[in-house]
């Protein structure tokens, strides 16, 4: 893997942070060992710059490629759009068709605005909520991107965001005037939200959260959040960027029966092509006309065409059922093989977004060694797995064989205190950090 490693060393001198996305930094997976770059990706196979081909049993394009890499139907639709012209002085009709489809899937919504990435779509949603309510403060739960409105929470207390998916997020560059505008609460901790409302309720214009990420909502939790938002006149925004289209064809909130005022989608909505959607109630969404929200690249044709093709195939193939079955089977592999080896391991997360944790003090070293050993056996593997339609029984069976062997090696390494000795590079990193 010399080419990928060499290119990444060069990239760190040319690109601040090394990559465009924190979640794709090689240091998160296997420092000085992760392939870093791909030449080709098809189905569940990824070929690196040195010609090595791996089965992706990790994050599948950070969850974007729900149908698998290079899905032939989606790619054919995109190629047709390119042939017809992907950009014009006029608007593409597909954006109207896609807006109608999203509202059909979510009958509570009646209007849609599009962007091309999840972070900017979340910023758009919060802007619309503030424009509608004319209130500045936001109560939120979980991770919602890199924009100022979100990072402002760490101006109040530097580690306010540490319990919300990514630790160590540095708010430098965020205007200090935003201090005191964003307040975090934890999932299923309704008393924390009530505390924010007791103190700031009259000024809270939006409540932002994922309806579910891993842990199921406790009985009445989502209902009470909805009631609080309605009572104080705040816009309830559901971030479905990660969960959307993984549990059902549309947002996971449909399964919980709770209707937000706005929902935001991106990632798997277009199988890796760039598009995001902010859907919502007409009275709220119309506030977008009272503020300036506009961008040239939001009008290109490829994103809407890819999303239409992906959603239609998702519905026809019952993709959410398939990926949940795959994820459930992978969870069983982790649990079965860990139990057989006497490894202390816990699984958690949605079946469509499963994760495991090795319950040891040196868990990070063990997870790094797991990734290293699985890579040697032809798998991109991590403690997270995001299944796709392209994952089939043959891939799961081969993965299971490798996991059994690797878990046995991990158990032996623990018993002989050789975990760090077996690593061929540094231990993986977690959270946000500055590259030097």
């Amino acid at each position: 893997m010399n080419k990928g490693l060499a290119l990444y060393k060069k990239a760190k001198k040319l690109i601040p942070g090394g990559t465009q996305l924190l979640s794709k930094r090689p240091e998160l997976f296997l420092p000085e060992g992760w392939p870093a770059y791909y030449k080709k990706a098809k189905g569940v196979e990824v070929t690196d710059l040195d010609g090595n081909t791996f089965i992706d049993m990790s994050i599948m394009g950070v969850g974007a490629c729900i149908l698998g890499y290079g899905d032939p139907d989606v790619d054919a639709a995109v190629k047709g759009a390119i042939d017809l012209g992907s950009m014009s002085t006029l608007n593409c009709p597909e954006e109207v068709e896609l807006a109608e489809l999203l509202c059909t899937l979510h009958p509570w919504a009646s209007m849609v605005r599009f962007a091309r990435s999840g972070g900017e779509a979340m910023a758009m949603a919060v802007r619309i909520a503030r424009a509608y309510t004319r209130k500045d403060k936001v109560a939120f739960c979980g991770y919602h991107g890199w924009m100022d409105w979100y990072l402002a929470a760490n101006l109040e207390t530097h580690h306010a965001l540490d319990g919300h998916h990514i630790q160590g997020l540095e708010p430098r560059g965020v205007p200090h005037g935003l201090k005191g505008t964003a307040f975090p609460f934890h999932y299923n901790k309704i008393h924390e939200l009530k505390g924010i409302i007791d103190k700031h309720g009259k000024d809270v214009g939006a409540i932002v959260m994922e309806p579910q990420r891993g842990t199921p909502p406790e009985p009445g939790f989502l209902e009470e959040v909805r009631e609080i938002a309605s009572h104080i006149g705040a816009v309830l925004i559901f971030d479905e960027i990660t969960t959307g289209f993984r549990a059902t064809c549309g947002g996971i909130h449909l399964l919980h029966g709770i209707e937000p005022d706005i929902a935001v989608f991106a990632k798997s909505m277009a199988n890796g092509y760039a598009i995001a959607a902010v859907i919502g109630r007409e009275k709220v969404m119309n506030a977008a006309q009272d503020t300036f929200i506009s961008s040239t690249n939001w009008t290109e044709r490829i994103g809407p065409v890819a999303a239409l093709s992906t959603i239609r195939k998702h519905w026809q193939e019952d993709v959410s059922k398939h990926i949940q079955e795959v994820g459930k089977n992978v969870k069983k592999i982790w649990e079965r093989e860990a139990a057989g080896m006497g490894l202390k391991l816990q699984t958690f997360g949605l079946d469509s977004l499963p994760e495991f944790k090795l319950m040891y003090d040196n868990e990070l070293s063990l997870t790094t060694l797991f990734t290293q050993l699985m890579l040697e056996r032809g798998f991109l593997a991590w403690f997270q797995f995001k299944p796709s339609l392209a994952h089939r029984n043959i891939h799961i069976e081969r993965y299971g064989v490798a996991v059994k062997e690797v878990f046995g090696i991990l158990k032996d390494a623990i018993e002989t205190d050789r975990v760090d000795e077996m690593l061929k590079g540094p231990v993986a990193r977690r959270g946000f950090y500055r590259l030097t």
Side-chain angles (χ1 to χ4, degrees), residues 295-340:
S295 183
T296 297
N297 282 341
W298 294 350
T299 69
E300 60 82 38
R301 190 178 215 163
I302 291 173
V305 166
L308 284 167
S309 181
T310 300
I311 294 171
R312 286 168 181 154
K313 185 164 185 174
H314 190 288
W315 181 265
Q316 293 164 0
E317 301 278 343
D318 201 357
V319 171
S320 55
K321 179 181 178 181
H322 175 82
I323 65 172
Q324 288 178 87
E325 289 176 353
V326 170
K328 192 179 297 183
N329 287 335
V330 167
K331 274 187 180 179
K332 289 178 180 177
I333 288 172
W334 293 337
E335 293 166 351
R336 181 183 68 240
E337 302 308 337

Side-chain angles (χ1 to χ4, degrees), residues 56-106:
D56 196 339
M57 296 296 294
S58 60
I59 57 175
M60 287 299 292
V62 201
C65 298
I66 197 168
L67 303 179
Y69 297 125
D71 180 79
D73 297 316
V74 178
D75 286 358
V78 167
K79 290 172 184 175
I82 293 170
D83 288 341
L84 291 172
S86 62
M87 176 59 89
S88 166
T89 298
L90 304 183
N91 299 291
C92 70
E94 289 86 359
E95 68 178 20
V96 181
E97 187 178 358
L98 178 58
E100 186 175 39
L101 177 57
L102 288 170
C103 291
T104 299
L105 292 174
H106 305 88

Side-chain angles (χ1 to χ4, degrees), residues 29-30 343-345 356-374 381-383 406-423 426-428 430:
F29 302 91
L30 187 65
L343 278 177
K344 293 182 288 185
L345 176 145
F356 72 78
K357 182 177 177 66
L358 292 160
M359 308 304 291
Y360 297 87
D361 291 340
N362 62 341
E363 177 265 335
L364 198 51
S365 295
L366 281 167
T367 303
T368 308
L369 184 56
F370 171 78
T371 297
Q372 174 185 300
L373 294 171
M374 292 297 290
W382 204 30
F383 67 94
V406 167
F407 275 8
I409 296 172
L410 293 184
K411 178 63 174 177
D412 181 68
I414 293 169
E415 292 177 344
T416 59
D417 195 23
R418 296 178 57 246
V419 175
D420 289 333
E421 178 186 331
M422 293 181 67
L423 290 173
V427 175
R430 294 272 172 88

Side-chain angles (χ1 to χ4, degrees), residues 70 90 106 114 118 134 137 152 185 192 269-270 281 286 305 344 357 378 433:
L90 304 183
H106 305 88
F114 296 111
R134 304 197 178 190
K137 295 183 179 181
F185 65 96
E192 294 183 2
M269 185 174 72
R281 303 180 190 276
N286 262 326
V305 166
K344 293 182 288 185
K357 182 177 177 66
Y433 53 91

